[in-house]
Amino acid sequence: AKKRGKSCCQFFTTEINTAATEQLALKNLLRRALARKEFQLYYQPIINMESGAIVSVEALIRWVDPELGLISPNTFIPLAEENGLILPLGEWVLQTACTQAKIWNQSNPYPVRIAINLSARQLEQTDFSERVSEILKKTPFPTDHLELELTESMLINRMESSLKTLNTLKKMGCRLSLDDFGTGYSPLAYLKRFPIDTVKIDRSFVQGISIDPDDAAITTAVTTMAHSLKRAVIAKGVETREQLNFLNEIKVDEAQGYFISYPVPAEELTQKLREKSHL
Ligand code: C2E
Ligand code: CA
Ligand code: CA
């Protein structure tokens, strides 16, 4: 038994070492990728439930490594957060997405908002609002068409300084949305405390709408509650007509998901913006 225990632990150590080496290798790759401009933004439309028109577009980062292929942001964003690369990367996202949205809005009679995912590290920079302001001046892009997506978990630490930054961004005219709504511990406290305009109901509830009465009830309750607090509601992860119909009945304002469109490269979104309705 002892012998088996030992070999078991040796195996375990080797596995950890491999993981650590892989992490280091990935971080170096990430640095190189930023220098080599291997990142791309994909864009996923968000439609208005009444008109079916695209009213907003979420920028979603992609990393295409020449050897490894497409790497998911769920893999590399946490690493970029650990080693600080998220700061230059996040600025690149803001700059690129605003530049693209400006181009769309020049040719599109109905301007779209551009929604950008922030990371805690970005928000924790004391000069974050000034940085956003600088980027918007360079582009130049109207602040009220910029929507910054936050999550409860990124607001947990440094509440006071985050609140100050978010209030400044709000005064500048930016819109703020609370992503993954319903999955955290105290969504109401965050709505009360932070100047949030919009909640994005998490995909996990939306996907259960037709199969789990609890999910349908939660989605309805969250929508009613957000509306009585004068917040707009976006449903995420809409994959079926049935889900869309339900969301329409309970008066969700906007919807996003594979049923409407996958995230697509900028040129494809340009095409989609020409179509009137996506319902
Ligand atoms: P998120 O903000 O929750 O974004 C939604 C994710 O769900 C995206 O995954 C999107 O492709 C996917 N999705 C959209 N519609 C559907 C649907 O109908 N069904 C299903 N199953 N999935 C759907 P993606 O693009 O892989 O991004 C994953 C996460 O990475 C994002 O989750 C966000 O937290 C993070 N992320 C992406 N881009 C950025 C960025 O530029 N900066 C930062 N800080 N984080 C980012
Ligand atoms: Ca998001
Ligand atoms: Ca998420």
Side-chain angles (χ1 to χ4, degrees):
K2 221 176 181 180
K3 210 176 162 196
R4 247 174 78 197
K6 198 182 168 201
S7 66
C8 144
C9 293
Q10 261 171 359
F11 174 69
F12 194 46
T13 319
T14 316
E15 203 169 50
I16 286 177
N17 281 339
T18 313
T21 317
E22 266 173 20
Q23 285 224 347
L24 187 67
L26 212 63
K27 274 180 192 172
N28 288 333
L29 276 178
L30 211 56
R31 259 187 217 107
R32 199 184 67 182
L34 190 60
R36 288 189 185 175
K37 305 195 188 330
E38 288 169 2
F39 294 103
Q40 280 175 31
L41 290 185
Y42 270 47
Y43 298 92
Q44 189 177 32
I46 299 172
I47 60 163
N48 177 283
M49 288 292 266
E50 278 173 25
S51 67
I54 298 172
V55 287
S56 180
V57 176
E58 180 174 356
L60 294 159
I61 197 168
R62 300 286 177 263
W63 174 18
V64 189
D65 179 273
E67 284 116 53
L68 301 172
L70 191 74
I71 303 164
S72 160
N74 287 324
T75 309
F76 69 84
I77 292 286
L79 289 169
E81 281 171 345
E82 259 173 62
N83 67 8
L85 267 179
I86 192 68
L87 298 180
L89 196 57
E91 293 221 353
W92 176 83
V93 171
L94 263 165
Q95 180 73 66
T96 308
C98 287
T99 305
Q100 182 58 60
K102 187 182 160 64
I103 294 169
W104 283 327
N105 286 349
Q106 274 163 351
S107 53
N108 191 16
Y110 306 102
V112 294
R113 312 192 305 265
I114 185 82
I116 290 170
N117 293 287
L118 292 187
S119 118
R121 291 283 294 268
Q122 287 176 280
L123 194 64
E124 284 165 6
Q125 299 172 102
T126 47
D127 64 343
F128 182 64
S129 56
E130 284 134 66
R131 284 170 177 274
V132 172
S133 172
E134 279 306 309
I135 289 169
L136 295 177
K137 257 184 232 152
K138 259 196 272 171
T139 314
F141 188 75
T143 21
D144 60 338
H145 288 147
L146 177 64
E147 181 150 15
L148 301 172
E149 296 197 356
L150 318 158
T151 60
E152 251 183 76
S153 65
M154 63 184 273
L155 297 172
I156 284 177
N157 300 311
R158 312 196 202 194
M159 283 231 192
E160 283 315 314
S161 69
S162 300
L163 181 62
K164 209 174 148 227
T165 303
L166 294 177
N167 278 333
T168 309
L169 288 164
K170 190 71 219 147
K171 272 194 210 112
M172 282 163 51
C174 296
R175 295 171 59 110
L176 303 174
S177 63
L178 198 52
D179 206 350
D180 302 341
F181 196 73
T183 60
Y185 292 109
S186 45
L188 293 180
Y190 285 85
L191 274 193
K192 185 173 153 64
R193 184 145 192 196
F194 296 96
I196 305 290
D197 303 284
T198 306
V199 302
K200 295 189 80 172
I201 302 181
D202 194 64
R203 181 172 84 211
S204 55
F205 303 115
V206 174
Q207 295 195 333
I209 280 174
S210 318
I211 38 177
D212 185 344
D214 283 349
D215 284 334
I218 290 169
T219 305
T220 308
V222 165
T223 302
T224 310
M225 188 224 28
H227 281 160
S228 56
L229 293 168
K230 306 270 190 293
R231 266 66 167 196
V233 177
I234 301 177
K236 285 174 74 172
V238 182
E239 291 184 356
T240 67
R241 162 69 61 193
E242 229 179 335
Q243 290 162 359
L244 195 70
N245 288 346
F246 180 89
L247 296 165
N248 195 30
E249 265 164 45
I250 64 167
K251 301 259 179 312
V252 159
D253 303 281
E254 297 172 7
Q256 173 181 18
Y258 295 166
F259 182 73
I260 298 148
S261 167
Y262 289 107
V264 294
E267 314 81 65
E268 262 178 70
L269 201 99
T270 308
Q271 295 296 323
K272 286 182 186 289
L273 284 171
R274 300 208 175 103
E275 297 161 32
K276 250 198 173 147
S277 176
H278 296 262
L279 281 173

